Amino acid sequence: MENKMFCYQCQETAGCTGCTKVGVCGKNADVSNMQDLLIYVTKGLSAVTTALRAQGGVVSSEINHLITLNLFTTITNANFDNEAITARICATLDTKRELLLQVSDAEKLPEAAKWDGDESTFEAKAAVVGVLSTENEDVRSLRELITYGLKGLSAYSKHANVLLQEDGEVDAFLQRALSATLDNNLSADDLVALTLETGKYGVSGMALLDKANTQTYGNPEITKVNIGVGSRPGILVSGHDLRDLEMLLKQTEGTGVDVYTHSEMLPAHYYPAFKKYSNFIGNYGNAWWKQKEEFESFNGPVLMTTNCIVPPKDSYKDRLYTTGAAGFPGCKHISGAIGEEKDFSEIIDHAKRCVAPTEIETGEIIGGFAHNQVLALADQVVAAVKSGAIKKFVVMAGCDGRSKSRNYYTDFAKALPKDAVILTAGCAKYKYNKLDLGDIGGIPRVLDAGQCNDSYSLAVIALKLKEVFGLEDINDLPIVYNIAWYEQKAVIVLLALLHLGVKNIHLGPTLPAFLSPNVAKVLVENFGIAGIGTVEDDLKLFFDEAAAVSGDMIMGDILRKYPETAPALMECGMHCLGCPSSQMETLADACMVHGLNVNDVLKAVNDKVNC
């Protein structure tokens, strides 16, 4: 990956030169390059399927599923197995060869659609199909943004597919958009439009999965989840795939083996269908990035159903099993196609030979606040808002990670006013879901809707509140968005929110490094996208409507909260207010860069605020 401007496998090492050494994610250059090639041939196949549809042809569900699973296989920390990835490249090329024979004018297809080869050619081809395939920085940035969004969309589709639900329009769009990233005739403006369209279909994909989950397992309900352990051996299930969990629970009944969830699988406890299993004990541990310590202390086997895998320690590598899109070399993979019953007998037998989990904490955590449950409490919530008991909701969804800068979200949650309620989905909640934040009139101050796969609930709740309060604009709601991004599902959630018209979303701990300055400028100017500052400054920004401008406030935040200060800033000599880089500076830093006296500038802008 030495030719990349951004390592999308290592996300938090933004700007790294690539995985020529093992990166934060644990992938080496060979695996990363093969993932690039898998994406390339998948785009090629998508160009073929899009051409077939254009000439009236039919694309089978099996091919749609292959493309979806290919993208999901390349999502952050899902698959580290070079052999498995190579096998998917071969299967994709085989499928493409057959479909190419049905295209009436194949010569007009992009090079990726026509390229063929055997395994001996893969390494050389993989080295030249990375993100620097175009020199135009903005086009490259938008292509990456779209591709990441489509990877996130593929995750929603794949989970719906295993529950025998699909949406042909979503599949056709995903493939059309993938194909469009190969089109050198598309301008940056064309790609901006496609980016927003990706958000539109992101909403559709989320709705599809929500329907699949709730029709199969019931609507999530308020649930207290045990975080202690039992006395019997157990299997720990991580990832997101509820169907895998269901099959495992059925097969462990009466075996003397207990089942625990880890990380993003925690919300399975909220679904009524899983509560009938007496050996479904509780949740063990925290977010995905702590698994090296927690998988070791669990003592029993671990089943990874999707991302996020951290390269395992030798002490428990023989206990790590993968299934679905997940994979790690040297770990047992349990196979099974859509609609097939997987055989978990090997992992169950393994568990029987292990001792019970080591207890690492005790108590309970509460969750189950998906849209159906929250809407059932609508009268209570609306009354609390109207009485002033709840002043604001703070959407703190997204992903957790190992970076110390992400401790911001713990500190932010602790410092929130007592009349603020957190709406969350995804593993970002592990930064604060075990804090004692109390409740407001019986409404917990952390309302956990579930996995990142359940982010649709946050949109439904916002739209319903907009309707209940009779508002014209969703941005008039007492909701602020302070989202932690990390991997591709966070990108599709962001694009979905933009499609729904949500503005002034704050992303942290840093803005995505794959955004070029011009693309960042579009997001800043049209949607108010911003980064995070200090906890103190962000609390002032979100909650203190009368707060004066201070030198440590972020420029972008000042302009959004006090647009009337723009003329004063320009009169002081600060003429680059639209520049994305200046938007992320503090006022004090911007003054230093421009050689201005910060106190003089503060007086000028605060005079505007207070006049």
Side-chain angles (χ1 to χ4, degrees), residues 60-71:
S60 70
S61 292
E62 290 74 20
I63 293 172
N64 291 337
H65 296 165
L66 181 146
I67 290 171
T68 296
L69 187 55
N70 281 359
L71 282 189

Side-chain angles (χ1 to χ4, degrees), residues 182-193:
L182 299 169
D183 190 346
N184 292 323
N185 294 316
L186 295 182
S187 66
D189 288 340
D190 295 328
L191 292 172
V192 168

